[in-house]
Amino acid sequence: MSDGLDLYLPVSTTRPAHALETALRAAVVDGRLPVGTRLPASRALAADLGIARSTVSEVYSRLAAEGWLESRVGAGTWIAGFPRQAQPAVAQRQSPPEYELRGGLADAGDFPRSQWSAQTRRALAEMPVSAFAYAPPEGAVELRDTLAGYLARTRGVAVTAAEVLIGSGFGDLLSLTCRAIRARGGKRIAVEEYGHERHRRIIAESGLEIVAIPVDSEGADLADAEADAVFLTPAHQFPTGVPLSPERRRAAVEWANARDALILEDDYDGEFRYDRRSIGALQALAPDRVVYLGTSSKALAPAVGVAWAVAPPELLPELLRQRSLSGVTPSGLHQQVLARFLDSHEYDRAVRRRRATFRTRRELFAQLLAERAPELRPGGLAAGLQCLVELPDAAAEERALAAARQFGVALEGLADYRAPGGNPDRAGVVIGYGAVSSARAARALALAADALANGLSF
Ligand SMILES: Cc1ncc(COP(=O)(O)O)c(C=O)c1O
């Protein structure tokens, strides 16, 4: 009575009983066959594996006697669980923290499901048959058009649809851009001394050598960095939270002009300034030097999987060549839906809703911190979905993180973001207030403030 389950079990023909028994145990332990999974009938499995039915029956009975399987006449055989001796590896796995406060994440709980679903229906009704084929490497023209308008309107980006390139997430476009720089003969890229380790790995994989540059209260300081490109978060340095000062913006452009270098502008949360109007994108100062990178992950969700780049026209052919080599095409359907989402201004509404949520959360956190650890302050701009709370030293950072772990709060310290060669003397904890649900935010942020207060006590 097989229910059609397809199993890949490496079973040799020399010792089939032993091999089948081992393969089934391993599949249960590593989770490929979860508890409750119904196994094929012995006849069906024997036929699939090319072994005798009696061998399968014998293995099923042995595993049933040990507690791995259960069977009932007429109901079949299914995975019953782990016998006691097989449990430790799984049982010792720690339960995930109860509250998610790591930086850069937004709460998917408020994803505008009904609006997305309405625009999906619209896209499906309107899309010509040709739009179901492979999307063009530069992205669907409808999305590039509408994004050009959106980025000019909200971020002051100097752009026409021809310079927009669509990617399947920010990491995809970062990787393409770095590989294009490498293909043009570039060797080194400067990165801010604090940032995502994931991004540094993507950059390093392209073959570029990374040099860390300092970040202070005016943002990243390029000074005389020797590199062919620089990767910056000018609107809201990640994760320290400061904007790149007007002088440093000008200096960055001069630096790039003097070396024929490129600036990669990571505008991951440029729309989320709530103390006042955002400063426009750095790209507008030097459209022929800057590759502007943005994402829908913060306003909507990473599951949308669409990001964009605005690139200098002379870099586009190499980017498209790298696109064709990567074998990746961003989902054509999601591009069509996102184009309509932007056109109908649902995207603007989603940004405004999140902006209001983030603002409330940040204010609440500032208040809780003032009550519990009055000597500490959320640093940087009142913007985005995280802030850095600086601490006196690395020991205080470790104490705060240890307390957070005890309270069931997932948090990261500045050390988790530091690039090799970055300043080891600065310490602090990044509070990502974007990802926890509204119902749990007050509790989570109070625990985070308590953890920081613990960091100060010794
Ligand atoms: C600083 C920064 N840049 C870029 C991104 C990329 O966004 P995604 O890969 O989710 O599109 C993130 C997201 O965590 C981020 O925090």
Side-chain angles (χ1 to χ4, degrees), residues 35-289:
V35 172
T37 309
R38 193 130 64 101
L39 292 177
S42 53
R43 185 194 305 276
L45 186 57
D48 278 356
L49 298 176
I51 60 179
R53 181 183 176 190
S54 57
T55 306
V56 177
S57 307
E58 185 193 315
V59 168
Y60 276 10
S61 322
R62 204 155 44 227
L63 290 176
E66 288 176 16
W68 295 84
L69 305 182
E70 252 177 68
S71 52
R72 211 175 319 119
V73 179
T77 301
W78 60 92
I79 306 294
F82 296 93
R84 203 171 280 285
Q85 69 274 21
Q87 275 190 6
V90 174
Q92 276 167 16
R93 208 182 286 154
Q94 289 201 335
S95 51
E98 208 176 329
Y99 300 103
E100 176 58 82
L101 289 184
R102 284 174 302 157
L105 305 170
D107 171 23
D110 66 353
F111 184 83
R113 292 179 194 238
S114 59
Q115 296 89 327
W116 186 263
S117 130
Q119 297 304 332
T120 304
R121 280 197 302 276
R122 210 183 120 200
L124 288 172
E126 292 173 358
M127 278 163 67
V129 173
S130 59
F132 287 90
Y134 294 102
E138 63 278 17
V141 65
E142 295 85 344
L143 179 57
R144 295 164 69 226
D145 259 342
T146 189
L147 260 176
Y150 174 79
L151 295 173
R153 168 164 63 80
T154 61
R155 303 293 300 122
V157 177
V159 56
T160 64
E163 289 116 29
V164 178
L165 175 68
I166 306 299
S168 352
F170 184 92
D172 170 40
L173 290 171
L174 177 62
S175 169
L176 279 190
T177 310
C178 289
R179 283 185 278 133
I181 294 170
R182 188 77 194 90
R184 291 180 356 150
K187 291 193 171 52
R188 305 178 89 198
I189 182 165
V191 302
E192 296 166 332
E193 62 182 337
Y194 304 109
H196 281 298
E197 218 257 317
R198 169 168 58 98
H199 291 162
R200 291 194 292 271
R201 266 187 275 128
I202 290 173
I203 293 171
E205 190 55 32
S206 73
L208 289 174
E209 184 197 337
I210 291 177
V211 276
I213 52 169
V215 172
D216 58 24
S217 59
E218 289 189 67
D221 184 2
L222 268 159
D224 297 319
E226 275 317 319
D228 306 289
V230 59
F231 180 44
L232 296 174
T233 45
H236 190 215
Q237 203 282 326
F238 184 87
T240 65
V242 295
L244 192 64
S245 71
E247 296 72 37
R248 293 266 174 92
R249 285 173 166 243
R250 276 194 294 276
V253 172
E254 278 163 24
W255 176 90
N257 282 335
R259 291 167 177 75
D260 192 20
L262 283 171
I263 301 174
L264 278 56
E265 176 174 20
D266 173 0
D267 200 34
Y268 68 107
D269 74 348
E271 306 106 315
F272 293 107
R273 180 129 187 203
Y274 29 82
D275 57 341
R276 58 189 173 85
R277 237 180 101 75
S278 299
I279 306 171
L282 171 64
Q283 186 268 2
L285 289 184
D288 53 345
R289 287 273 160 226

Side-chain angles (χ1 to χ4, degrees), residues 201-444:
R201 266 187 275 128
I202 290 173
I203 293 171
E205 190 55 32
S206 73
L208 289 174
E209 184 197 337
I210 291 177
V211 276
I213 52 169
V215 172
D216 58 24
S217 59
E218 289 189 67
D221 184 2
L222 268 159
D224 297 319
E226 275 317 319
D228 306 289
V230 59
F231 180 44
L232 296 174
T233 45
H236 190 215
Q237 203 282 326
F238 184 87
T240 65
V242 295
L244 192 64
S245 71
E247 296 72 37
R248 293 266 174 92
R249 285 173 166 243
R250 276 194 294 276
V253 172
E254 278 163 24
W255 176 90
N257 282 335
R259 291 167 177 75
D260 192 20
L262 283 171
I263 301 174
L264 278 56
E265 176 174 20
D266 173 0
D267 200 34
Y268 68 107
D269 74 348
E271 306 106 315
F272 293 107
R273 180 129 187 203
Y274 29 82
D275 57 341
R276 58 189 173 85
R277 237 180 101 75
S278 299
I279 306 171
L282 171 64
Q283 186 268 2
L285 289 184
D288 53 345
R289 287 273 160 226
V290 179
V291 180
Y292 172 93
L293 298 162
T295 173
S296 60
S297 293
K298 313 292 174 196
L300 297 176
V304 171
V306 179
W308 43 85
V310 177
E314 53 105 18
L315 191 67
L316 276 166
E318 186 55 42
L319 285 171
L320 289 176
R321 198 178 76 84
Q322 294 296 334
R323 165 87 303 153
S324 69
L325 294 174
S326 78
V328 173
T329 25
S331 152
L333 183 54
H334 276 188
Q335 293 187 53
Q336 294 290 340
V337 178
L338 184 59
R340 285 158 180 85
F341 209 81
L342 281 154
D343 260 345
S344 59
H345 298 161
E346 286 299 351
Y347 196 88
D348 293 60
R349 284 188 275 280
V351 167
R352 274 206 302 280
R353 275 194 302 273
R354 286 242 165 119
R355 209 187 274 146
T357 309
F358 297 158
R359 166 185 222 142
T360 315
R361 299 261 178 92
R362 186 181 169 107
E363 285 167 1
L364 173 62
F365 175 65
Q367 186 192 325
L368 291 164
L369 193 62
E371 286 162 16
R372 287 151 205 250
E375 49 283 74
L376 299 178
R377 296 259 172 292
L381 289 175
L385 10 62
Q386 72 274 319
C387 62
L388 172 68
V389 179
E390 297 220 35
L391 288 168
D393 52 35
E397 179 178 319
E398 274 166 32
R399 277 194 301 274
L401 293 178
R405 273 194 298 279
Q406 235 174 28
F407 301 160
V409 182
L411 278 179
E412 284 174 328
L414 208 45
D416 296 302
Y417 294 98
R418 187 177 291 121
N423 171 10
D425 296 334
R426 229 170 136 184
V429 170
V430 177
I431 309 291
Y433 41 79
V436 67
S437 69
S438 292
R440 293 152 59 83
R443 173 87 186 125

